[in-house]
Structure formats: C-alpha cells, structure tokens
Amino acid sequence: TTLDNLFFFEGAQERRLLIQRCTACQALRHPPQPRCDRCGAYDWDTVEASGRGTVYSFVVNHHPQIPAFDYPLPIGLIELEEGTRLVAQIVDCPLGEIAVGMAVEVTWLDDDPDLVLPAFRPSGGAS
C-alpha cells in the first residue's frame, strides 16, 4: 500500500468500493495516483461506488500460476456505473458465459485475513 491507495484497501476491509476523485475537477480515477491526469491538481477525496458495472474487456489467465489463485483465472476490466474502470477477478460465472457488456456487481474476496479484494459476479439486472 501507499499513501495514495491506502484508502482503497481500508475501504475494501469494510466492504466499500472507494474510488479516488479530484477535488478540483471532480474526475474519478483508478488506479489511485497523486496527481489528476485531467487538470493536474494534487488534492483528492473519495466517493463510494455503487459496485455495479459491466465487463469492458476480460482475459482468462492460465500461466504463470501463483499458488494463491485457482486456474483458469478470469480477470475483467470492469467499467463501473460511475464511469471509471478497474481490474478485478470475475467469480461465480462459468468461463464460457463471461462476455463483454455483461452486467456485474461487486462481491468481496477475503481469503487472507489481512487483505480483502473486490471481485465481480454476474448481476441479475441491467447495469
């Protein structure tokens, strides 16, 4: 963790999906960074995302394998309703059913007592 992303991991511990926002121009950004790409400002706060979005793109990773994960490992680029995107694991969905444009919602992976991560599963409703 860094000073720029600590809020994200602390929010995840509380099952809250927090996104960094520039206080000058209100642009959302992920991954977190110290400076706004849009206006150059350094001041920021956070907003809590709805946790709903769509699969913008995805890949099914087979190698290299890391012992902490099950393979094949579907990873999606998720476009949140709020307009920013983040990379996360796709869960609770057969590989053949994952599709670009699929509505998803956040869920939480807490396999490690010190780390909770957002993941996304298919949503019942439109995003």
Side-chain angles (χ1 to χ4, degrees):
T1 59
T2 68
L3 292 177
D4 296 317
N5 68 18
L6 182 60
F7 76 90
F8 181 81
F9 295 103
E10 289 176 341
Q13 285 288 120
E14 300 171 356
R15 308 307 192 261
R16 297 173 61 218
L17 185 59
L18 299 178
I19 303 298
Q20 192 178 49
R21 175 178 60 185
C22 175
T23 56
C25 72
Q26 303 301 301
L28 298 179
R29 59 183 186 247
H30 191 84
Q33 56 191 345
R35 182 178 176 270
C36 179
D37 287 338
R38 183 187 292 171
C39 74
Y42 287 92
D43 294 327
W44 57 269
D45 63 7
T46 63
V47 295
E48 186 169 357
S50 67
R52 294 182 301 272
T54 57
V55 175
Y56 183 84
S57 181
F58 72 96
V59 65
V60 178
N61 188 38
H62 296 273
H63 297 284
Q65 293 191 357
I66 299 169
F69 297 99
D70 294 324
Y71 292 86
L73 179 65
I75 301 293
L77 179 58
I78 308 302
E79 184 159 18
L80 297 175
E81 282 184 344
E82 291 77 12
T84 193
R85 298 178 188 147
L86 61 94
V87 175
Q89 187 173 343
I90 299 173
V91 298
D92 302 332
C93 186
L95 295 179
E97 294 180 18
I98 299 171
V100 170
M102 179 176 74
V104 292
E105 61 189 12
V106 73
T107 187
W108 301 96
L109 302 177
D110 54 299
D111 298 329
D112 182 311
D114 297 322
L115 181 65
V116 176
L117 294 174
F120 287 83
R121 64 180 174 214
S123 172
S127 172

